[in-house]
mmCIF file of all heavy atoms in Angstrom:
data_model
loop_
_atom_site.group_PDB
_atom_site.id
_atom_site.type_symbol
_atom_site.label_atom_id
_atom_site.label_comp_id
_atom_site.label_asym_id
_atom_site.label_seq_id
_atom_site.Cartn_x
_atom_site.Cartn_y
_atom_site.Cartn_z
ATOM 1 N N PHE K 199 -6.534 11.079 6.415
ATOM 2 C CA PHE K 199 -6.478 10.221 7.598
ATOM 3 C C PHE K 199 -6.526 11.063 8.880
ATOM 4 O O PHE K 199 -7.364 10.849 9.743
ATOM 5 C CB PHE K 199 -5.213 9.353 7.574
ATOM 6 C CG PHE K 199 -5.068 8.474 8.787
ATOM 7 C CD1 PHE K 199 -5.673 7.236 8.836
ATOM 8 C CD2 PHE K 199 -4.342 8.891 9.902
ATOM 9 C CE1 PHE K 199 -5.563 6.420 9.962
ATOM 10 C CE2 PHE K 199 -4.225 8.097 11.024
ATOM 11 C CZ PHE K 199 -4.838 6.858 11.051
ATOM 12 N N LYS K 202 -9.611 12.639 10.339
ATOM 13 C CA LYS K 202 -10.604 11.736 10.934
ATOM 14 C C LYS K 202 -10.183 11.215 12.308
ATOM 15 O O LYS K 202 -10.741 10.267 12.824
ATOM 16 C CB LYS K 202 -10.862 10.559 9.989
ATOM 17 C CG LYS K 202 -11.378 10.985 8.623
ATOM 18 C CD LYS K 202 -11.417 9.812 7.664
ATOM 19 C CE LYS K 202 -11.698 10.213 6.247
ATOM 20 N NZ LYS K 202 -12.911 10.915 6.007
ATOM 21 N N ILE K 205 -7.089 13.887 18.148
ATOM 22 C CA ILE K 205 -5.834 13.815 18.894
ATOM 23 C C ILE K 205 -6.060 14.472 20.251
ATOM 24 O O ILE K 205 -6.268 15.675 20.344
ATOM 25 C CB ILE K 205 -4.682 14.470 18.116
ATOM 26 C CG1 ILE K 205 -4.479 13.694 16.815
ATOM 27 C CG2 ILE K 205 -3.416 14.503 18.972
ATOM 28 C CD1 ILE K 205 -3.409 14.253 15.911
ATOM 29 N N TRP K 213 -6.284 8.099 20.815
ATOM 30 C CA TRP K 213 -6.634 8.973 19.705
ATOM 31 C C TRP K 213 -7.705 8.241 18.912
ATOM 32 O O TRP K 213 -7.399 7.432 18.030
ATOM 33 C CB TRP K 213 -5.436 9.271 18.831
ATOM 34 C CG TRP K 213 -4.367 10.101 19.481
ATOM 35 C CD1 TRP K 213 -4.403 10.684 20.720
ATOM 36 C CD2 TRP K 213 -3.105 10.431 18.917
ATOM 37 N NE1 TRP K 213 -3.237 11.362 20.957
ATOM 38 C CE2 TRP K 213 -2.410 11.233 19.854
ATOM 39 C CE3 TRP K 213 -2.478 10.146 17.711
ATOM 40 C CZ2 TRP K 213 -1.145 11.720 19.625
ATOM 41 C CZ3 TRP K 213 -1.210 10.640 17.483
ATOM 42 C CH2 TRP K 213 -0.554 11.422 18.424
ATOM 43 N N TYR K 224 -13.721 -1.317 14.798
ATOM 44 C CA TYR K 224 -12.414 -0.922 14.289
ATOM 45 C C TYR K 224 -12.637 0.171 13.260
ATOM 46 O O TYR K 224 -13.552 0.093 12.446
ATOM 47 C CB TYR K 224 -11.689 -2.094 13.617
ATOM 48 C CG TYR K 224 -11.161 -3.109 14.594
ATOM 49 C CD1 TYR K 224 -11.882 -4.258 14.889
ATOM 50 C CD2 TYR K 224 -9.933 -2.919 15.229
ATOM 51 C CE1 TYR K 224 -11.406 -5.186 15.792
ATOM 52 C CE2 TYR K 224 -9.455 -3.836 16.137
ATOM 53 C CZ TYR K 224 -10.185 -4.974 16.412
ATOM 54 O OH TYR K 224 -9.715 -5.887 17.311
ATOM 55 N N LYS K 245 4.920 4.721 12.886
ATOM 56 C CA LYS K 245 6.035 3.843 13.248
ATOM 57 C C LYS K 245 6.750 3.207 12.066
ATOM 58 O O LYS K 245 7.855 2.718 12.224
ATOM 59 C CB LYS K 245 5.538 2.742 14.192
ATOM 60 C CG LYS K 245 5.113 3.262 15.547
ATOM 61 C CD LYS K 245 4.824 2.118 16.482
ATOM 62 C CE LYS K 245 4.669 2.594 17.907
ATOM 63 N NZ LYS K 245 4.536 1.468 18.836
ATOM 64 N N LEU K 253 0.943 -8.554 12.796
ATOM 65 C CA LEU K 253 -0.319 -7.838 12.916
ATOM 66 C C LEU K 253 -0.111 -6.632 13.821
ATOM 67 O O LEU K 253 0.785 -6.636 14.666
ATOM 68 C CB LEU K 253 -1.383 -8.735 13.547
ATOM 69 C CG LEU K 253 -1.714 -10.043 12.845
ATOM 70 C CD1 LEU K 253 -2.615 -10.882 13.727
ATOM 71 C CD2 LEU K 253 -2.364 -9.768 11.523
ATOM 72 N N VAL K 254 -0.967 -5.639 13.668
ATOM 73 C CA VAL K 254 -0.930 -4.482 14.566
ATOM 74 C C VAL K 254 -1.931 -4.744 15.684
ATOM 75 O O VAL K 254 -3.103 -5.020 15.429
ATOM 76 C CB VAL K 254 -1.270 -3.173 13.822
ATOM 77 C CG1 VAL K 254 -1.266 -1.999 14.792
ATOM 78 C CG2 VAL K 254 -0.290 -2.937 12.687
ATOM 79 N N SER K 321 -28.909 -17.939 30.424
ATOM 80 C CA SER K 321 -28.450 -17.790 31.810
ATOM 81 C C SER K 321 -28.531 -19.105 32.589
ATOM 82 O O SER K 321 -27.723 -19.343 33.473
ATOM 83 C CB SER K 321 -29.219 -16.686 32.527
ATOM 84 O OG SER K 321 -30.562 -17.025 32.664
ATOM 85 N N SER K 326 -25.386 -19.939 24.301
ATOM 86 C CA SER K 326 -25.752 -18.617 23.786
ATOM 87 C C SER K 326 -27.181 -18.620 23.257
ATOM 88 O O SER K 326 -27.718 -19.659 22.873
ATOM 89 C CB SER K 326 -24.793 -18.182 22.671
ATOM 90 O OG SER K 326 -25.009 -18.959 21.510
ATOM 91 N N ALA K 332 -31.244 -22.237 17.779
ATOM 92 C CA ALA K 332 -30.974 -23.284 16.794
ATOM 93 C C ALA K 332 -31.357 -24.665 17.333
ATOM 94 O O ALA K 332 -31.938 -25.480 16.610
ATOM 95 C CB ALA K 332 -29.502 -23.256 16.376
#
Side-chain angles (χ1 to χ4, degrees):
F199 178 86
K202 301 171 190 302
I205 298 178
W213 293 355
Y224 286 97
K245 293 188 169 186
L253 302 171
V254 178
S321 65
S326 71

